[in-house]
Amino acid sequence: MFCLTLLALLCCCIATNAGAIQPRSSSYSGEYGGGGGKRFSQSGNQLEGPITAIRIRINRWYIVGLQVRYGKEWSNYVGGSSGDLEEIFLFPGESIIQVSGKYKRYVKRLVFVTDKGRYFAYGEDKGTSFSAAPLYPNTVLRFFSGSSGSVIDAIGFHWDSYPSNCPSCGK
């Protein structure tokens, strides 16, 4: 009798909470590159808002460094200091929906594609190819993780829904 009561109570709880079940939206792509460098993650930065700009440092052979603006706040810079610094500014409400690239022991190339049909390509087009995209519909790039030293050794991409609590984001 106790088991039957417990089973009935469990079924009621599941039925009551069924409306609260959210569809999955977060996914991860990576890690692409080698095993060296110091680990980094920008998971806390996504609380500042969506990705609105990216600074990427490149030399002839590698992606040297990376810094990302979340909302209006820049993340810490990761990577080395050699090479040229490039900047990507996204339009209000624009998001990155795919990243492809190449790597060997280090990240050699990154290509960002946005939901507005723009793409930005950086680095040398040699090495093992990868293509990263979210697993779930209507999700976008929310933050980066990986490892870096004098260059970006490895990189991973974290996808989720566009933040709903960002009134100045334009989406």
Side-chain angles (χ1 to χ4, degrees):
M1 183 66 154
F2 176 73
C3 290
L4 187 57
T5 305
L6 186 60
L7 182 60
L9 182 61
L10 181 62
C11 288
C12 286
C13 288
I14 290 172
T16 302
N17 291 326
I21 296 174
Q22 297 290 320
R24 291 192 57 140
S25 62
S26 63
S27 60
Y28 172 73
S29 305
E31 181 165 278
Y32 307 104
K38 181 181 175 186
R39 305 290 309 157
F40 71 86
S41 174
Q42 298 177 343
S43 62
N45 297 92
Q46 69 176 322
L47 300 175
E48 298 296 330
I51 294 172
T52 55
I54 298 173
R55 290 179 178 146
I56 188 165
R57 187 174 293 278
I58 55 174
N59 66 21
R60 261 178 82 183
W61 303 282
Y62 305 110
I63 304 299
V64 175
L66 184 69
Q67 186 177 28
V68 182
R69 190 175 72 186
Y70 295 88
K72 296 179 182 177
E73 298 294 322
W74 285 98
S75 69
N76 290 332
Y77 178 82
V78 293
S81 58
S82 66
D84 298 322
L85 185 65
E86 302 280 343
E87 291 185 322
I88 301 167
F89 289 94
L90 300 179
F91 297 133
E94 183 177 25
S95 296
I96 296 168
I97 58 169
Q98 180 183 5
V99 183
S100 59
K102 303 239 177 169
Y103 67 93
K104 284 192 179 179
R105 289 183 54 208
Y106 310 108
V107 178
K108 298 178 75 57
R109 181 173 178 81
L110 290 174
V111 180
F112 301 97
V113 179
T114 77
D115 57 356
K116 303 286 187 201
R118 298 194 303 156
Y119 73 96
F120 306 92
Y122 302 97
E124 185 179 41
D125 196 13
K126 291 184 180 176
T128 303
S129 297
F130 70 85
S131 182
L135 291 178
Y136 302 105
N138 303 315
T139 57
V140 300
L141 183 63
R142 290 303 310 276
F143 69 93
F144 295 85
S145 64
S147 59
S148 67
S150 59
V151 297
I152 301 296
D153 291 81
I155 196 162
F157 309 98
H158 300 261
W159 311 91
D160 207 338
S161 301
Y162 192 87
S164 59
N165 59 346
C166 187
S168 64
C169 296
K171 201 169 201 179

